[in-house]
PDB file of all heavy atoms in Angstrom:
ATOM      1  N   PHE R1154     -65.612 -20.235  29.609  1.00  0.00           N
ATOM      2  CA  PHE R1154     -65.468 -18.931  29.087  1.00  0.00           C
ATOM      3  C   PHE R1154     -64.443 -18.953  27.993  1.00  0.00           C
ATOM      4  O   PHE R1154     -63.265 -19.455  28.135  1.00  0.00           O
ATOM      5  CB  PHE R1154     -65.002 -17.979  30.177  1.00  0.00           C
ATOM      6  CG  PHE R1154     -63.838 -18.412  31.052  1.00  0.00           C
ATOM      7  CD1 PHE R1154     -62.524 -18.074  30.691  1.00  0.00           C
ATOM      8  CD2 PHE R1154     -64.066 -19.201  32.198  1.00  0.00           C
ATOM      9  CE1 PHE R1154     -61.461 -18.505  31.506  1.00  0.00           C
ATOM     10  CE2 PHE R1154     -63.040 -19.678  33.004  1.00  0.00           C
ATOM     11  CZ  PHE R1154     -61.745 -19.290  32.569  1.00  0.00           C
ATOM     12  N   GLY R1155     -64.794 -18.529  26.822  1.00  0.00           N
ATOM     13  CA  GLY R1155     -63.889 -18.520  25.684  1.00  0.00           C
ATOM     14  C   GLY R1155     -63.730 -19.992  25.208  1.00  0.00           C
ATOM     15  O   GLY R1155     -64.357 -20.955  25.592  1.00  0.00           O
ATOM     16  N   SER R1156     -62.786 -20.154  24.187  1.00  0.00           N
ATOM     17  CA  SER R1156     -62.607 -21.484  23.593  1.00  0.00           C
ATOM     18  C   SER R1156     -61.737 -22.301  24.468  1.00  0.00           C
ATOM     19  O   SER R1156     -61.763 -23.538  24.391  1.00  0.00           O
ATOM     20  CB  SER R1156     -61.940 -21.307  22.260  1.00  0.00           C
ATOM     21  OG  SER R1156     -60.616 -20.575  22.316  1.00  0.00           O
ATOM     22  N   ASP R1157     -60.913 -21.701  25.346  1.00  0.00           N
ATOM     23  CA  ASP R1157     -59.991 -22.549  26.183  1.00  0.00           C
ATOM     24  C   ASP R1157     -60.117 -22.159  27.610  1.00  0.00           C
ATOM     25  O   ASP R1157     -59.135 -22.472  28.468  1.00  0.00           O
ATOM     26  CB  ASP R1157     -58.505 -22.278  25.759  1.00  0.00           C
ATOM     27  CG  ASP R1157     -58.265 -22.757  24.343  1.00  0.00           C
ATOM     28  OD1 ASP R1157     -58.466 -23.907  24.060  1.00  0.00           O
ATOM     29  OD2 ASP R1157     -57.858 -21.882  23.414  1.00  0.00           O
ATOM     30  N   GLY R1158     -61.186 -21.541  28.113  1.00  0.00           N
ATOM     31  CA  GLY R1158     -61.429 -21.246  29.507  1.00  0.00           C
ATOM     32  C   GLY R1158     -62.292 -22.296  30.174  1.00  0.00           C
ATOM     33  O   GLY R1158     -63.398 -22.618  29.759  1.00  0.00           O
ATOM     34  N   TYR R1159     -61.752 -22.848  31.299  1.00  0.00           N
ATOM     35  CA  TYR R1159     -62.462 -23.798  32.066  1.00  0.00           C
ATOM     36  C   TYR R1159     -61.979 -23.808  33.479  1.00  0.00           C
ATOM     37  O   TYR R1159     -60.923 -23.294  33.779  1.00  0.00           O
ATOM     38  CB  TYR R1159     -62.353 -25.200  31.384  1.00  0.00           C
ATOM     39  CG  TYR R1159     -60.859 -25.629  31.231  1.00  0.00           C
ATOM     40  CD1 TYR R1159     -60.158 -26.279  32.318  1.00  0.00           C
ATOM     41  CD2 TYR R1159     -60.214 -25.361  30.104  1.00  0.00           C
ATOM     42  CE1 TYR R1159     -58.832 -26.595  32.135  1.00  0.00           C
ATOM     43  CE2 TYR R1159     -58.873 -25.745  29.924  1.00  0.00           C
ATOM     44  CZ  TYR R1159     -58.178 -26.374  31.025  1.00  0.00           C
ATOM     45  OH  TYR R1159     -56.851 -26.739  30.840  1.00  0.00           O
ATOM     46  N   HIS R1172     -62.011 -32.199  35.240  1.00  0.00           N
ATOM     47  CA  HIS R1172     -61.285 -31.464  34.201  1.00  0.00           C
ATOM     48  C   HIS R1172     -62.191 -31.606  32.958  1.00  0.00           C
ATOM     49  O   HIS R1172     -62.186 -32.618  32.265  1.00  0.00           O
ATOM     50  CB  HIS R1172     -59.926 -32.085  33.960  1.00  0.00           C
ATOM     51  CG  HIS R1172     -58.988 -31.166  33.173  1.00  0.00           C
ATOM     52  ND1 HIS R1172     -59.266 -30.738  31.906  1.00  0.00           N
ATOM     53  CD2 HIS R1172     -57.830 -30.576  33.621  1.00  0.00           C
ATOM     54  CE1 HIS R1172     -58.289 -29.905  31.614  1.00  0.00           C
ATOM     55  NE2 HIS R1172     -57.394 -29.755  32.563  1.00  0.00           N
ATOM     56  N   ARG R1174     -62.020 -30.390  29.882  1.00  0.00           N
ATOM     57  CA  ARG R1174     -61.455 -30.525  28.552  1.00  0.00           C
ATOM     58  C   ARG R1174     -60.511 -31.765  28.428  1.00  0.00           C
ATOM     59  O   ARG R1174     -60.214 -32.066  27.262  1.00  0.00           O
ATOM     60  CB  ARG R1174     -60.670 -29.269  28.319  1.00  0.00           C
ATOM     61  CG  ARG R1174     -61.476 -27.977  28.366  1.00  0.00           C
ATOM     62  CD  ARG R1174     -62.632 -28.034  27.404  1.00  0.00           C
ATOM     63  NE  ARG R1174     -63.480 -26.819  27.546  1.00  0.00           N
ATOM     64  CZ  ARG R1174     -63.245 -25.709  26.924  1.00  0.00           C
ATOM     65  NH1 ARG R1174     -62.253 -25.584  26.119  1.00  0.00           N
ATOM     66  NH2 ARG R1174     -64.122 -24.733  27.130  1.00  0.00           N
ATOM     67  N   GLN R1175     -60.094 -32.347  29.502  1.00  0.00           N
ATOM     68  CA  GLN R1175     -59.304 -33.498  29.466  1.00  0.00           C
ATOM     69  C   GLN R1175     -59.837 -34.523  30.439  1.00  0.00           C
ATOM     70  O   GLN R1175     -59.289 -34.774  31.525  1.00  0.00           O
ATOM     71  CB  GLN R1175     -57.792 -33.199  29.774  1.00  0.00           C
ATOM     72  CG  GLN R1175     -57.160 -32.376  28.747  1.00  0.00           C
ATOM     73  CD  GLN R1175     -55.702 -31.969  29.136  1.00  0.00           C
ATOM     74  OE1 GLN R1175     -55.452 -31.131  29.890  1.00  0.00           O
ATOM     75  NE2 GLN R1175     -54.777 -32.691  28.464  1.00  0.00           N
ATOM     76  N   TRP R1213     -48.793 -26.143  29.719  1.00  0.00           N
ATOM     77  CA  TRP R1213     -49.938 -27.067  29.658  1.00  0.00           C
ATOM     78  C   TRP R1213     -50.456 -27.221  28.255  1.00  0.00           C
ATOM     79  O   TRP R1213     -50.231 -26.263  27.388  1.00  0.00           O
ATOM     80  CB  TRP R1213     -51.054 -26.647  30.575  1.00  0.00           C
ATOM     81  CG  TRP R1213     -52.093 -27.636  30.894  1.00  0.00           C
ATOM     82  CD1 TRP R1213     -53.222 -27.938  30.251  1.00  0.00           C
ATOM     83  CD2 TRP R1213     -52.021 -28.642  31.992  1.00  0.00           C
ATOM     84  NE1 TRP R1213     -53.947 -28.987  30.795  1.00  0.00           N
ATOM     85  CE2 TRP R1213     -53.162 -29.463  31.887  1.00  0.00           C
ATOM     86  CE3 TRP R1213     -51.039 -28.957  32.890  1.00  0.00           C
ATOM     87  CZ2 TRP R1213     -53.394 -30.500  32.781  1.00  0.00           C
ATOM     88  CZ3 TRP R1213     -51.293 -30.005  33.822  1.00  0.00           C
ATOM     89  CH2 TRP R1213     -52.452 -30.715  33.716  1.00  0.00           C
ATOM     90  N   GLN R1214     -51.090 -28.324  27.971  1.00  0.00           N
ATOM     91  CA  GLN R1214     -51.564 -28.621  26.566  1.00  0.00           C
ATOM     92  C   GLN R1214     -52.855 -27.695  26.383  1.00  0.00           C
ATOM     93  O   GLN R1214     -53.813 -27.789  27.166  1.00  0.00           O
ATOM     94  CB  GLN R1214     -51.939 -30.049  26.458  1.00  0.00           C
ATOM     95  CG  GLN R1214     -52.435 -30.383  24.974  1.00  0.00           C
ATOM     96  CD  GLN R1214     -52.701 -31.864  24.803  1.00  0.00           C
ATOM     97  OE1 GLN R1214     -52.293 -32.648  25.714  1.00  0.00           O
ATOM     98  NE2 GLN R1214     -53.391 -32.267  23.823  1.00  0.00           N
ATOM     99  N   LYS R1215     -52.739 -26.891  25.298  1.00  0.00           N
ATOM    100  CA  LYS R1215     -53.896 -26.058  24.919  1.00  0.00           C
ATOM    101  C   LYS R1215     -54.962 -26.908  24.255  1.00  0.00           C
ATOM    102  O   LYS R1215     -54.661 -27.527  23.213  1.00  0.00           O
ATOM    103  CB  LYS R1215     -53.407 -24.997  24.020  1.00  0.00           C
ATOM    104  CG  LYS R1215     -54.482 -23.804  23.895  1.00  0.00           C
ATOM    105  CD  LYS R1215     -53.801 -22.617  23.070  1.00  0.00           C
ATOM    106  CE  LYS R1215     -54.848 -21.570  22.959  1.00  0.00           C
ATOM    107  NZ  LYS R1215     -54.278 -20.389  22.279  1.00  0.00           N
ATOM    108  N   PRO R1216     -56.229 -26.853  24.787  1.00  0.00           N
ATOM    109  CA  PRO R1216     -57.254 -27.723  24.193  1.00  0.00           C
ATOM    110  C   PRO R1216     -57.578 -27.381  22.775  1.00  0.00           C
ATOM    111  O   PRO R1216     -57.783 -28.345  21.915  1.00  0.00           O
ATOM    112  CB  PRO R1216     -58.499 -27.452  25.083  1.00  0.00           C
ATOM    113  CG  PRO R1216     -57.887 -26.996  26.362  1.00  0.00           C
ATOM    114  CD  PRO R1216     -56.704 -26.213  26.044  1.00  0.00           C
ATOM    115  N   SER R1217     -57.562 -26.142  22.343  1.00  0.00           N
ATOM    116  CA  SER R1217     -57.989 -25.766  21.007  1.00  0.00           C
ATOM    117  C   SER R1217     -56.953 -26.145  19.940  1.00  0.00           C
ATOM    118  O   SER R1217     -57.283 -26.412  18.765  1.00  0.00           O
ATOM    119  CB  SER R1217     -58.226 -24.308  20.889  1.00  0.00           C
ATOM    120  OG  SER R1217     -57.059 -23.523  21.258  1.00  0.00           O
ATOM    121  N   SER R1218     -55.701 -26.244  20.273  1.00  0.00           N
ATOM    122  CA  SER R1218     -54.631 -26.557  19.334  1.00  0.00           C
ATOM    123  C   SER R1218     -53.961 -27.848  19.615  1.00  0.00           C
ATOM    124  O   SER R1218     -53.327 -28.430  18.738  1.00  0.00           O
ATOM    125  CB  SER R1218     -53.572 -25.457  19.321  1.00  0.00           C
ATOM    126  OG  SER R1218     -52.897 -25.393  20.585  1.00  0.00           O
ATOM    127  N   GLY R1219     -54.106 -28.445  20.756  1.00  0.00           N
ATOM    128  CA  GLY R1219     -53.429 -29.674  21.197  1.00  0.00           C
ATOM    129  C   GLY R1219     -51.921 -29.457  21.358  1.00  0.00           C
ATOM    130  O   GLY R1219     -51.175 -30.437  21.562  1.00  0.00           O
ATOM    131  N   GLN R1220     -51.402 -28.238  21.360  1.00  0.00           N
ATOM    132  CA  GLN R1220     -49.913 -27.914  21.505  1.00  0.00           C
ATOM    133  C   GLN R1220     -49.687 -27.457  22.876  1.00  0.00           C
ATOM    134  O   GLN R1220     -50.598 -26.878  23.610  1.00  0.00           O
ATOM    135  CB  GLN R1220     -49.565 -26.914  20.473  1.00  0.00           C
ATOM    136  CG  GLN R1220     -49.778 -27.284  19.056  1.00  0.00           C
ATOM    137  CD  GLN R1220     -48.902 -28.489  18.637  1.00  0.00           C
ATOM    138  OE1 GLN R1220     -47.788 -28.631  19.125  1.00  0.00           O
ATOM    139  NE2 GLN R1220     -49.462 -29.277  17.797  1.00  0.00           N
ATOM    140  N   MET R1221     -48.481 -27.638  23.349  1.00  0.00           N
ATOM    141  CA  MET R1221     -48.002 -27.118  24.647  1.00  0.00           C
ATOM    142  C   MET R1221     -47.908 -25.579  24.570  1.00  0.00           C
ATOM    143  O   MET R1221     -47.279 -25.064  23.609  1.00  0.00           O
ATOM    144  CB  MET R1221     -46.747 -27.727  25.104  1.00  0.00           C
ATOM    145  CG  MET R1221     -46.755 -29.253  25.367  1.00  0.00           C
ATOM    146  SD  MET R1221     -47.927 -29.636  26.781  1.00  0.00           S
ATOM    147  CE  MET R1221     -46.971 -28.852  28.109  1.00  0.00           C
ATOM    148  N   ALA R1222     -48.418 -24.956  25.572  1.00  0.00           N
ATOM    149  CA  ALA R1222     -48.339 -23.483  25.665  1.00  0.00           C
ATOM    150  C   ALA R1222     -48.237 -23.068  27.130  1.00  0.00           C
ATOM    151  O   ALA R1222     -48.565 -23.719  28.000  1.00  0.00           O
ATOM    152  CB  ALA R1222     -49.660 -22.835  25.063  1.00  0.00           C
ATOM    153  N   LYS R1224     -49.117 -21.090  30.405  1.00  0.00           N
ATOM    154  CA  LYS R1224     -50.431 -20.876  31.013  1.00  0.00           C
ATOM    155  C   LYS R1224     -50.191 -20.101  32.334  1.00  0.00           C
ATOM    156  O   LYS R1224     -49.341 -20.440  33.099  1.00  0.00           O
ATOM    157  CB  LYS R1224     -51.208 -22.162  31.200  1.00  0.00           C
ATOM    158  CG  LYS R1224     -52.640 -21.965  31.634  1.00  0.00           C
ATOM    159  CD  LYS R1224     -53.394 -23.277  31.690  1.00  0.00           C
ATOM    160  CE  LYS R1224     -54.843 -23.083  32.044  1.00  0.00           C
ATOM    161  NZ  LYS R1224     -55.516 -24.471  32.054  1.00  0.00           N
ATOM    162  N   TYR R1243     -54.268 -18.990  28.776  1.00  0.00           N
ATOM    163  CA  TYR R1243     -53.027 -19.211  28.053  1.00  0.00           C
ATOM    164  C   TYR R1243     -52.446 -17.888  27.595  1.00  0.00           C
ATOM    165  O   TYR R1243     -53.066 -16.943  27.236  1.00  0.00           O
ATOM    166  CB  TYR R1243     -53.270 -20.134  26.809  1.00  0.00           C
ATOM    167  CG  TYR R1243     -53.660 -21.513  27.280  1.00  0.00           C
ATOM    168  CD1 TYR R1243     -54.989 -21.887  27.459  1.00  0.00           C
ATOM    169  CD2 TYR R1243     -52.702 -22.504  27.547  1.00  0.00           C
ATOM    170  CE1 TYR R1243     -55.295 -23.212  27.825  1.00  0.00           C
ATOM    171  CE2 TYR R1243     -52.950 -23.771  27.872  1.00  0.00           C
ATOM    172  CZ  TYR R1243     -54.285 -24.115  28.044  1.00  0.00           C
ATOM    173  OH  TYR R1243     -54.671 -25.380  28.472  1.00  0.00           O
ATOM    174  N   LEU R1244     -51.025 -17.987  27.547  1.00  0.00           N
ATOM    175  CA  LEU R1244     -50.306 -16.688  27.321  1.00  0.00           C
ATOM    176  C   LEU R1244     -49.756 -16.523  25.943  1.00  0.00           C
ATOM    177  O   LEU R1244     -48.738 -15.780  25.761  1.00  0.00           O
ATOM    178  CB  LEU R1244     -49.169 -16.578  28.367  1.00  0.00           C
ATOM    179  CG  LEU R1244     -49.556 -16.592  29.829  1.00  0.00           C
ATOM    180  CD1 LEU R1244     -48.369 -16.569  30.744  1.00  0.00           C
ATOM    181  CD2 LEU R1244     -50.552 -15.484  30.156  1.00  0.00           C
ATOM    182  N   ASP R1245     -50.230 -17.349  25.022  1.00  0.00           N
ATOM    183  CA  ASP R1245     -49.590 -17.276  23.677  1.00  0.00           C
ATOM    184  C   ASP R1245     -49.934 -15.907  22.999  1.00  0.00           C
ATOM    185  O   ASP R1245     -49.211 -15.425  22.289  1.00  0.00           O
ATOM    186  CB  ASP R1245     -50.142 -18.358  22.690  1.00  0.00           C
ATOM    187  CG  ASP R1245     -51.623 -18.565  22.922  1.00  0.00           C
ATOM    188  OD1 ASP R1245     -52.280 -17.890  23.665  1.00  0.00           O
ATOM    189  OD2 ASP R1245     -52.166 -19.407  22.191  1.00  0.00           O
ATOM    190  N   ASP R1246     -51.062 -15.208  23.388  1.00  0.00           N
ATOM    191  CA  ASP R1246     -51.323 -13.882  22.904  1.00  0.00           C
ATOM    192  C   ASP R1246     -50.369 -12.946  23.450  1.00  0.00           C
ATOM    193  O   ASP R1246     -49.959 -11.961  22.791  1.00  0.00           O
ATOM    194  CB  ASP R1246     -52.760 -13.558  23.160  1.00  0.00           C
ATOM    195  CG  ASP R1246     -53.036 -13.570  24.694  1.00  0.00           C
ATOM    196  OD1 ASP R1246     -52.332 -14.237  25.410  1.00  0.00           O
ATOM    197  OD2 ASP R1246     -53.985 -12.861  25.116  1.00  0.00           O
TER     198      ASP R1246
END
Side-chain angles (χ1 to χ4, degrees):
F1154 48 93
S1156 59
D1157 296 302
Y1159 56 88
H1172 200 295
R1174 302 301 174 88
Q1175 292 178 283
W1213 196 265
Q1214 182 179 349
K1215 190 174 182 180
S1217 60
S1218 64
Q1220 303 294 324
M1221 294 297 295
K1224 186 175 184 180
Y1243 290 93
L1244 302 179
D1245 46 357
D1246 57 339

